[in-house]
Amino acid sequence: MNKTSSAVTKVARDMFVQQGSWALGFLSIVLLIYFGVGIGTSIGVNVREGFAEEDFFSIAYRSTKGFMLVIGIITAYSFLSYYVRHGITRKEFFNGAALAAVYLSLAFPVVTALIQQIALMFASQDAGSTSLLQAFDNSWLLTLVSFGVQILIYYLMGWMIGSGFYRFGWIRGLGMIAVALVLISFMDALWQFELSSIWEQWLPVTSDLSVTLPFSLIGSLVVILITLILIRLITRRVTIKM
């Protein structure tokens, strides 16, 4: 293994372990909320309509997006400076951090699904009856693929936004938020979730999952590639803040 490959592997491994530990902590909090809502409902506490019926996986599915956005921003600020100061080139860091993001996006849905199965042993819900799973024709594979692709994109958006602010400051950095909103809106249109209505007048998107899986995956891949290119362009000559 040459020096460059070794450096990329080290960055990917270290970041995956560090961010993976944050992810486990986050999932622990979600699990506590899930059981807390169940306990509260059982003793008569007034819980927001619809929330009490949600399973752990559905709650994690939505809340993880914000979590991945945040750690993507942290990647731009904390990890970049740390690794470059310790002799890692900007290109090596970029490749290693991108690999870590992929690893985390692959592991996160699987771990969440495993926790879901364990949680169901202590709950009265049926895994096949949840609205989220039904939206994907009761296919765990399709649900996990959607989960992984979407949280990877949110991670990259956070990384891109953080990189923009890191290099350009607050004024021009705001432009990266606008770019991220456009890309996220397009991605949600492909998967037909929170922001899909923005694009319905231009894309063949409806609320009944008419967009095919191959189209969603190809479109998401385009979003991922565009975001990675933008991150690389922003960070390839960025001045490291000491």
Side-chain angles (χ1 to χ4, degrees):
M1 182 180 294
N2 59 43
K3 180 179 180 296
T4 298
S5 298
S6 177
V8 170
T9 301
K10 174 178 171 51
V11 172
R13 181 183 64 247
D14 291 351
M15 288 186 62
F16 174 69
V17 171
Q18 180 63 61
Q19 295 176 339
S21 67
W22 297 346
L24 289 176
F26 170 78
L27 288 175
S28 298
I29 294 173
V30 175
L31 188 62
L32 288 174
I33 293 173
Y34 168 68
F35 281 119
V37 169
I39 294 171
T41 302
S42 65
I43 63 176
V45 176
N46 186 23
V47 179
R48 180 171 60 85
E49 183 179 358
F51 190 73
E53 286 74 33
E54 288 194 315
D55 61 306
F56 168 78
F57 192 88
S58 298
I59 298 172
Y61 187 93
R62 281 185 284 276
S63 58
T64 300
K65 295 177 181 180
F67 171 77
M68 294 292 276
L69 185 73
V70 170
I71 64 173
I73 293 173
I74 293 174
T75 294
Y77 273 88
S78 299
F79 289 107
L80 174 62
S81 297
Y82 172 81
Y83 281 109
V84 173
R85 285 200 303 265
H86 284 78
I88 301 295
T89 67
R90 291 161 179 78
K91 182 178 180 180
E92 289 168 344
F93 171 77
F94 170 80
N95 291 333
L99 278 176
V102 172
Y103 296 159
L104 188 62
S105 299
L106 289 172
F108 212 121
V110 174
V111 173
T112 304
L114 290 175
I115 295 176
Q116 161 77 357
Q117 298 307 310
I118 296 173
L120 287 173
M121 297 178 184
F122 304 94
S124 59
Q125 293 170 320
D126 176 11
S129 66
T130 63
S131 58
L132 178 60
L133 208 53
Q134 289 176 357
F136 291 101
D137 296 325
N138 292 319
S139 169
W140 270 110
L141 177 60
L142 182 53
T143 304
L144 293 177
V145 169
S146 169
F147 193 176
V149 169
Q150 291 189 68
I151 63 175
L152 173 60
I153 290 176
Y154 272 84
Y155 181 106
L156 296 179
M157 293 304 159
W159 188 7
M160 181 180 69
I161 291 171
S163 298
F165 279 98
Y166 188 93
R167 177 172 181 176
F168 302 121
W170 287 95
I171 303 299
R172 287 189 291 173
L174 291 173
M176 301 315 299
I177 296 180
V179 173
L181 285 174
V182 172
L183 292 174
I184 289 175
S185 298
F186 179 70
M187 184 272 294
D188 271 0
L190 294 172
W191 293 100
Q192 304 171 326
F193 284 97
E194 289 87 348
L195 302 178
S196 61
S197 59
I198 296 177
W199 295 93
E200 284 178 352
Q201 57 184 312
W202 294 293
L203 295 176
V205 176
T206 66
S207 60
D208 60 355
L209 291 181
S210 62
V211 176
T212 63
L213 177 60
F215 185 81
S216 296
L217 289 174
I218 292 171
S220 297
L221 180 61
V222 171
V223 172
I224 290 170
L225 291 176
I226 290 173
T227 309
L228 285 172
I229 290 171
L230 289 174
I231 293 170
R232 177 60 181 151
L233 290 175
I234 293 169
T235 59
R236 65 185 303 177
R237 299 185 186 280
V238 64
T239 300
I240 303 301
K241 296 177 172 57
M242 307 305 288

